[in-house]
Amino acid sequence: MATRVIGRVLATVDVPIEMARSTTAAALRQTGWGDKEAAMQADIMVSAELCGNNQGLVKMFQPKLMAPAPGAAPPAVERDALASAVINANQSPGMLAALMAADLACDKVLGAAGRGGGSAAELPAIAIVGAYNSSTSSGQLAYYAEHMAKRGVVGICLANSPEFVAAAGGAKPVFGTNPMAVGIPTGAGAPPFVFDMATSAIALFGVLTAKAKGEPLPPGVAYGKDGKWTTNAAEALDGGAIATFGGHKGAGLALVIELLAGALSNAAVLGQCESKKAAKSWGHTVIAIRHEALVDGFGGKAASVLAAVKASGPSIRLPGESSARIAAQRRAAGTMPIPKTIWDVIEETARHGLK
Amino acid sequence: MATRVIGRVLATVDVPIEMARSTTAAALRQTGWGDKEAAMQADIMVSAELCGNNQGLVKMFQPKLMAPAPGAAPPAVERDALASAVINANQSPGMLAALMAADLACDKVLGAAGRGGGSAAELPAIAIVGAYNSSTSSGQLAYYAEHMAKRGVVGICLANSPEFVAAAGGAKPVFGTNPMAVGIPTGAGAPPFVFDMATSAIALFGVLTAKAKGEPLPPGVAYGKDGKWTTNAAEALDGGAIATFGGHKGAGLALVIELLAGALSNAAVLGQCESKKAAKSWGHTVIAIRHEALVDGFGGKAASVLAAVKASGPSIRLPGESSARIAAQRRAAGTMPIPKTIWDVIEETARHGLK
């Protein structure tokens, strides 16, 4: 594995993709996870890292934080109904809760194997699953939306997290980075279209990564403790706040996701708890739609829209396009670059366990 | 009724609210609508006008365009299923199709009167209704989301329209202004929270209104025929395009709504039709969620979030706050200002029919 130095401080190592996945899973087992949960979380983080997303293996930088939370139990389904359910994550990580919610929503509209059969006509075309009481972020939300689209449904995933984001300059943080992701099947054999965005001007892991790399933040994405703009990641993290994107519309969307992924999923909400950070109850709301119930040939229609938008001008880049290109290049090479400081921790933990 | 002159060219008349509603309904009957359809459309337009929204009575400026389309039939329900349906608007106006979709989605999760009873436990907690083939815009999308929230459900309304909006500078228009609205109940007796935004930088009726008023557009919301920014509304309308809001995230959201409210609702999509304008098939997708199935006390939780966000800083204005204040002031006064040129047309049409 070659070590490369990018910029001032960022050294990366090129790691074979399968080794990244298996070593990360081994490190997670060392922190206390069973085989299945370790493999699931490793796949989610490696998938994010593979496409250059900033919510990937950075999560492993402090492996202690990835260990099962004290007193945690496996996520459990509550209020299970025809077209809805709620998952109590029981302080399990957001990754496990979000994937379980995504699969349960898909099962409800597609019919789960072993559910006793039943034709599509008897199944609801749409289902909603909320998840609350997870102890950490689910990471790159696109993973779950893509997973759903690969199962053949339209997937809408919303996530709510503790207070990092302020609704305006000079205001206290109230929102999470409150992302939304949408996965759209584009026809048999074709990769799904996936849209994933935080309603904050930058993802929390973007700020953490900037701090780790010692790089400045872009202008207009974070406030310092004094409520004024800062490009210093450490200042933003120390009593400051992240901004919402896109003016008052972005702030409104952040609020809507706070309501749909926080209040509706039964997660902790401000005003009913002192602090969402202290309550440690991250929320997710996942919606699956069996498009065949509404329209024939949805995949082809979606592909047609995407092609028309791509062809509408010389400089159009579709959402997910550069992520997909980066992932494809890395798959072709068989290796992916991982920050050396992070990879060292993963390898060390896989070999010798938590220190 | 007093006539006031605001700015350079905009004269308004103060019209009693009930008179505005009944006269608009009378004008619509003169264009060929029956009592019920005229009253519904008048209420939707007057409600928008009442809260200062730019998609209100401006629609009546050319009443001929509000007449039933040639060959149109009432909207009809297709693919009616447990938790989903599709409405073929049969070239009826978007207002009628969207309201029918909103009510049908509510009925599916709440149980419609006369449906043979059935407890909530047997009803799906979520339902989706698409509407296609409507001949015009549904106007202010907030109306339908608020209507759903007043019926006690979470309402999500997405709309797709012909190509007015470009995905980037120098690109051909591909998107509609593709708005989304979300209505959230906040507890018994309390007014719902309603969020409504176009994913374009300005609503189409904002551009039309600026042209009618002879006012410049804000900077950064529209392109001219040459693909460069313009503040001239006429230039934007003549072969130009409206921009999306909020950088690449806003453009991505516009695309997602194109897929969810256009492709999924069975409306016309680019690549499968030469022109959405020519195809005259506007699309809507409406989702209703019975929140009681997921969480107890949702209204209180939502109200708590809204109060915490409002209190988080000195300058926080919640979505819908100024609309609600304007509407309340006008309700207290009993009258609302209407542009004189528009009111003259409505009165003239109500008295003497189409010219």
Side-chain angles (χ1 to χ4, degrees):
Chain A
M1 290 179 291
T3 299
R4 291 181 300 170
V5 177
I6 298 172
R8 197 156 45 85
V9 293
L10 180 65
T12 64
V13 282
D14 287 324
V15 181
I17 296 167
E18 265 321 305
M19 181 191 289
R21 201 174 269 119
S22 59
T23 309
T24 303
L28 286 166
R29 287 194 300 271
Q30 290 276 22
T31 72
W33 288 106
D35 287 358
K36 190 181 150 203
E37 288 76 14
M40 277 164 69
Q41 295 178 80
D43 188 55
I44 293 167
M45 288 185 279
V46 169
S47 295
E49 194 77 26
L50 186 67
C51 64
N53 184 281
N54 60 15
Q55 296 182 81
L57 291 170
V58 68
K59 280 173 169 281
M60 294 298 291
F61 191 58
Q62 292 177 277
K64 246 180 238 170
L65 300 182
M66 295 302 291
V77 179
E78 300 173 344
R79 293 173 177 250
D80 200 14
L82 180 72
S84 61
V86 175
I87 291 170
N88 181 344
N90 285 316
Q91 288 295 299
S92 284
M95 288 188 272
L96 299 182
L99 190 54
M100 186 170 169
D103 270 322
L104 184 54
C106 290
D107 290 348
K108 287 189 181 290
V109 300
L110 296 174
R115 211 198 220 178
S119 77
E122 292 161 354
L123 296 167
I126 186 168
I128 182 169
V129 178
Y132 72 104
N133 197 19
S134 58
S135 61
T136 56
S137 152
S138 53
Q140 188 200 22
L141 209 56
Y143 183 88
Y144 315 97
E146 184 173 32
H147 177 76
M148 296 173 78
K150 283 181 174 168
R151 289 191 61 183
V153 307
V154 171
I156 301 173
C157 304
L158 311 175
N160 175 235
S161 46
E163 49 277 42
F164 305 119
V165 176
K172 283 189 299 186
V174 282
F175 302 133
T177 54
N178 290 11
M180 63 177 289
V182 178
I184 304 271
T186 61
F193 167 76
V194 183
F195 176 66
D196 179 9
M197 64 165 231
T199 53
S200 56
I202 188 170
L204 175 61
F205 275 96
V207 182
L208 295 174
T209 304
K211 189 185 169 193
K213 290 185 185 176
E215 289 177 353
L217 297 169
V221 305
Y223 307 109
K225 201 183 284 184
D226 58 1
K228 301 208 173 104
W229 293 115
T230 184
T231 56
N232 183 324
E235 272 182 33
L237 292 167
D238 179 26
I242 301 173
T244 52
F245 92 104
H248 67 279
K249 292 185 180 183
L253 273 174
L255 173 53
V256 164
I257 294 182
E258 192 77 19
L259 294 165
L260 295 181
L264 187 60
S265 74
N266 204 17
V269 297
L270 285 181
Q272 296 193 349
C273 71
E274 198 61 38
S275 145
K276 289 188 287 178
K277 274 185 197 121
K280 279 202 174 180
S281 173
W282 307 48
H284 289 84
T285 292
V286 173
I287 295 173
I289 304 167
R290 195 179 72 250
H291 51 81
E292 293 88 347
L294 292 152
V295 59
D296 295 331
F298 173 72
K301 279 174 90 92
S304 176
V305 169
L306 292 165
V309 172
K310 179 69 186 169
S312 70
S315 60
I316 306 290
R317 208 175 60 193
L318 296 179
E321 208 177 308
S322 52
S323 299
R325 193 179 51 242
I326 291 169
Q329 283 165 352
R330 292 174 177 180
R331 275 198 204 95
T335 66
M336 57 195 279
I338 297 175
K340 188 172 181 320
T341 48
I342 293 171
W343 181 244
D344 285 350
V345 169
I346 294 172
E347 276 210 308
E348 181 68 18
T349 308
R351 280 191 197 141
H352 305 296
L354 283 177
K355 272 193 267 196
Chain B
M1 289 179 289
T3 298
R4 292 181 300 171
V5 177
I6 298 171
R8 196 157 46 84
V9 293
L10 180 66
T12 63
V13 282
D14 287 324
V15 181
I17 296 166
E18 265 320 307
M19 181 190 289
R21 202 174 267 118
S22 59
T23 309
T24 303
L28 285 166
R29 288 195 299 273
Q30 290 276 21
T31 71
W33 289 106
D35 287 357
K36 188 180 149 202
E37 288 76 14
M40 278 163 68
Q41 295 178 79
D43 188 55
I44 293 168
M45 287 185 280
V46 168
S47 294
E49 194 78 25
L50 186 66
C51 63
N53 183 282
N54 60 15
Q55 296 181 81
L57 292 169
V58 66
K59 280 174 169 281
M60 294 296 292
F61 190 59
Q62 292 177 277
K64 246 180 238 171
L65 301 181
M66 296 301 292
V77 179
E78 300 173 343
R79 293 172 175 250
D80 199 13
L82 179 71
S84 61
V86 175
I87 291 170
N88 181 344
N90 285 317
Q91 288 294 300
S92 283
M95 288 188 271
L96 299 181
L99 191 54
M100 186 170 170
D103 271 321
L104 184 53
C106 289
D107 290 349
K108 286 187 182 291
V109 299
L110 296 174
R115 210 199 222 178
S119 77
E122 292 162 354
L123 296 167
I126 185 168
I128 182 169
V129 178
Y132 72 103
N133 198 20
S134 59
S135 61
T136 56
S137 154
S138 52
Q140 188 200 21
L141 209 56
Y143 183 89
Y144 314 97
E146 184 173 32
H147 176 76
M148 296 173 78
K150 284 180 175 167
R151 288 192 62 183
V153 307
V154 172
I156 301 173
C157 305
L158 311 175
N160 174 236
S161 46
E163 51 277 45
F164 303 120
V165 176
K172 283 188 299 186
V174 281
F175 302 133
T177 54
N178 290 10
M180 63 177 289
V182 178
I184 304 270
T186 61
F193 167 76
V194 183
F195 175 65
D196 180 10
M197 64 164 231
T199 52
S200 56
I202 188 170
L204 175 62
F205 275 95
V207 182
L208 296 173
T209 304
K211 188 186 170 192
K213 290 185 184 175
E215 289 177 354
L217 296 170
V221 305
Y223 307 109
K225 201 183 287 185
D226 58 2
K228 301 209 173 100
W229 293 115
T230 183
T231 55
N232 183 323
E235 272 182 32
L237 292 167
D238 179 26
I242 301 174
T244 52
F245 92 104
H248 67 280
K249 293 186 180 183
L253 274 174
L255 173 52
V256 164
I257 294 182
E258 191 78 20
L259 293 165
L260 294 181
L264 188 60
S265 74
N266 205 16
V269 296
L270 285 181
Q272 296 193 348
C273 70
E274 198 60 39
S275 145
K276 289 188 287 177
K277 275 184 196 122
K280 279 201 174 180
S281 172
W282 307 50
H284 290 84
T285 292
V286 173
I287 294 173
I289 304 167
R290 194 178 73 252
H291 51 82
E292 293 88 347
L294 291 152
V295 60
D296 296 331
F298 173 72
K301 279 176 89 92
S304 177
V305 170
L306 293 165
V309 172
K310 179 68 186 169
S312 69
S315 60
I316 306 289
R317 209 175 61 192
L318 296 179
E321 209 176 305
S322 52
S323 299
R325 193 178 54 242
I326 292 169
Q329 284 165 352
R330 291 174 177 180
R331 275 197 203 94
T335 65
M336 57 196 277
I338 297 174
K340 188 172 181 320
T341 48
I342 292 172
W343 182 245
D344 286 350
V345 169
I346 294 172
E347 276 210 307
E348 182 69 17
T349 308
R351 280 190 198 143
H352 305 294
L354 284 177
K355 271 195 265 195

